[in-house]
Amino acid sequence: MPMTAFEATRTWAEAQDAADPLRAFRDEFHIPRHEGHDTLYFCGNSLGLQPKGVRAAIQAELDDWSELAVEAHFRGRSPWMHYHEYVRDAMAEVVGALPHEVVAMNSLGANLHLMMVSFYRPTAERPAILMEAGAFPTDRYALESQVRFHGFDPSRDLIEVEPDGPGGTLSMAAIEHAIAEHGHRVALILLPGVQYRTGQVFDLQTIVRLGHAKGCTVGFDLAHAVGNLPLALHESGADFAVWCTYKYLNAGPGAVAGAFVHDRHAHADLPRFAGWWGHDKDTRFQMGPHFVPTPGADGWQLSNPPILALAPLRASLDVFARAGMPQLVEKSRRLTAYLDWLIRTRLDAVLDIVTPNDPAQRGAQLSIRVRAGREAGRALFEHLEQRGVIGDWREPDVIRLSPTPLYNRYADCLGAVEAIESWTG
Ligand SMILES: *Cc1c(COP(=O)(O)O)cnc(C)c1O
């Protein structure tokens, strides 16, 4: 349906919701309430809502623990011994990877460091990391501390590509130029899949091609991309990637994160920080002194899996498996296009949309700025909160609204825009 077919009426929006083939999935989530109504929750980019299946998933493991204790490793309903493997196929599907290329473990920040232990191997001739300026703080801190850890100088060896596009976006031309200029001394290129502040999507495959052509290793932070974009990690050729699962993946606060190691490294003898759960599965319990990694991403695990923390991820990925990423992406594109259209047609005098208009360059998230400046932006943000419209604020002046296809409705988008209009008067 072309974009001009959108209408800014409740009747139209509700008809879209009624015809939405994914509409039943909303009932699988707990929607927070505000003054007797469901909130209009646009914050799935930050913390996804709780799937109703999570409680039973955790309860089942608590029951096994109380009834079987250590025996649950082998005799539980889902034997704990292999628990991380239960999320593997669904997670691989979501990120477009082969099953043995992904593992659920640790947190995003920890995985970023662990991956850099193996994939940031600086030398005197090639010491640098290339990243974006304005990256999420943890990424900036992690990369800078890695450069220092190896005895290099971040002021010279941490290369930050400055945004050159409208609203602080970063053009592919700027990335290409930076790789052409610095690539010969870059050990690692680390970029996001979706920029957290602007919502801009990066073309992973092109970045990998440009980076590899210059002899650089290429990795991605997919925190805002996973469960949001149609990813094809294996095909992209990326050396590694990391992501968290509490944003679009709805796995709960601080949930177990993910990592991808490309198949071409599955059997590689790479330096790594090792732990017993990364040891070859078949001989792990011989308890020998010499580490032999399990092939694939599993070989980067340190510890036995946190069962109570993985249970929600498992329940959440089950929802994704049933909905299907292609279907979710199709709805997401149209839902975000609707919010974008509403804002552009009704609030153009008041708001700027920072996120690129091109559907290929954005996911669910729209980042908006109030033209009147930061203070007005804060005031609008608080006005929305008081009306039960939940987005989030990112300094210095961005309000992020992310309609997500699993639980947001066309009527939510209209409601958000009406709430903004009630502020503009
Ligand atoms: C959300 C996010 C993080 C958060 O890291 P944690 O280790 O999960 O606390 C890091 N980087 C990016 C780009 C993010 O979007």
Side-chain angles (χ1 to χ4, degrees):
M1 191 178 288
M3 298 224 304
T4 46
F6 292 146
E7 288 177 29
T9 65
R10 194 143 291 272
T11 317
W12 186 87
E14 284 172 0
Q16 303 308 302
D17 291 326
D20 171 10
L22 297 176
R23 69 185 174 284
F25 283 99
R26 177 179 171 85
D27 293 334
E28 298 196 28
F29 290 86
H30 290 290
I31 316 277
R33 305 278 286 174
H34 175 83
E35 293 175 358
H37 300 281
D38 287 350
T39 53
L40 305 188
Y41 193 81
F42 290 100
C43 219
N45 59 290
S46 183
L47 183 72
L49 293 181
Q50 183 186 133
K52 288 179 180 165
V54 160
R55 199 172 290 265
I58 297 174
Q59 189 63 50
E61 304 315 327
L62 288 173
D63 290 347
D64 275 1
W65 182 18
S66 62
E67 291 157 25
L68 300 168
V70 72
E71 296 276 283
H73 282 102
F74 311 101
R75 294 203 293 113
R77 275 162 279 188
S78 308
W80 293 342
M81 192 70 183
H82 313 287
Y83 207 90
H84 70 277
E85 295 172 11
Y86 307 150
V87 297
R88 176 187 291 154
D89 289 358
M91 195 146 80
E93 187 69 32
V94 165
V95 299
L98 305 173
H100 72 272
E101 290 177 317
V102 302
V103 62
M105 60 180 187
N106 312 317
S107 62
L108 168 54
N111 287 344
L112 183 54
H113 277 297
L114 288 178
M115 288 293 116
M116 282 196 281
V117 166
S118 299
F119 293 106
Y120 172 51
R121 306 298 304 160
T123 60
E125 300 72 43
R126 202 184 261 276
I129 300 180
L130 187 118
M131 66 179 295
E132 46 148 1
F136 192 94
T138 233
D139 302 66
R140 178 69 176 67
Y141 304 156
L143 272 51
E144 175 175 345
S145 63
Q146 285 276 340
V147 170
R148 284 188 200 283
F149 173 74
H150 286 280
F152 294 100
D153 177 1
S155 71
R156 195 190 53 215
D157 300 325
L158 189 62
I159 301 164
E160 295 176 84
V161 191
E162 291 291 336
D164 61 334
T169 52
L170 179 57
S171 72
M172 197 61 222
I175 296 172
E176 189 162 1
H177 186 260
I179 294 173
E181 185 183 347
H182 303 288
H184 64 282
R185 55 186 304 275
V186 167
L188 169 67
I189 297 170
L190 194 290
L191 286 166
V194 175
Q195 217 288 339
Y196 82 101
R197 190 185 281 114
T198 66
Q200 176 189 4
V201 168
F202 290 97
D203 175 352
L204 309 191
Q205 197 155 359
T206 301
I207 292 166
V208 171
R209 182 172 48 76
L210 294 169
H212 283 177
K214 281 282 193 174
C216 318
T217 298
V218 183
F220 294 101
D221 182 335
L222 301 178
H224 284 270
V226 62
N228 175 17
L229 303 178
L231 292 168
L233 265 186
H234 175 77
E235 228 177 278
S236 80
D239 294 286
F240 73 91
V242 291
W243 56 90
C244 52
T245 62
Y246 49 81
K247 292 171 179 167
Y248 295 99
L249 282 188
N250 311 315
V256 180
F260 163 91
V261 177
H262 196 279
D263 177 55
R264 85 174 77 86
H265 303 299
H267 296 272
D269 184 20
L270 288 162
R272 73 183 88 194
F273 287 168
W276 76 315
W277 225 256
H279 187 94
D280 179 22
K281 231 164 92 142
D282 298 328
T283 57
R284 184 189 295 145
F285 282 87
Q286 292 173 11
M287 307 306 246
H290 301 296
F291 179 74
V292 180
T294 291
D298 274 7
W300 271 264
Q301 293 174 105
L302 297 180
S303 302
N304 74 100
I307 306 304
L308 299 180
L310 274 173
L313 175 59
R314 190 180 178 197
S316 168
L317 285 170
D318 173 62
V319 178
F320 275 83
R322 284 183 287 113
M325 270 316 282
Q327 289 77 4
L328 287 168
V329 166
E330 189 184 331
K331 175 177 170 188
S332 178
R333 290 214 164 116
R334 190 154 179 269
L335 196 62
T336 294
Y338 183 51
L339 181 61
D340 179 277
W341 177 83
L342 285 168
I343 292 171
R344 283 178 204 278
T345 52
R346 293 176 58 156
L347 293 161
D348 195 44
V350 192
L351 301 181
D352 279 323
I353 297 179
V354 172
T355 309
N357 187 233
D358 172 7
Q361 286 188 64
R362 71 176 179 208
Q365 171 186 338
L366 292 183
S367 297
I368 58 181
R369 278 201 184 108
V370 177
R371 293 218 170 137
R374 183 180 181 281
E375 288 319 303
R378 283 294 318 173
L380 171 59
F381 180 67
E382 278 157 30
H383 172 85
L384 291 176
E385 272 192 327
Q386 280 155 18
R387 296 187 155 244
V389 179
I390 311 298
D392 66 2
W393 175 265
R394 279 294 172 268
E395 296 294 349
D397 58 359
V398 166
I399 296 173
R400 300 188 298 185
L401 296 176
S402 305
T404 66
L406 274 172
Y407 47 77
N408 281 118
R409 302 170 297 191
Y410 290 86
D412 295 351
C413 297
L414 183 61
V417 167
E418 286 170 354
I420 297 172
E421 283 175 329
S422 73
W423 176 74
T424 62

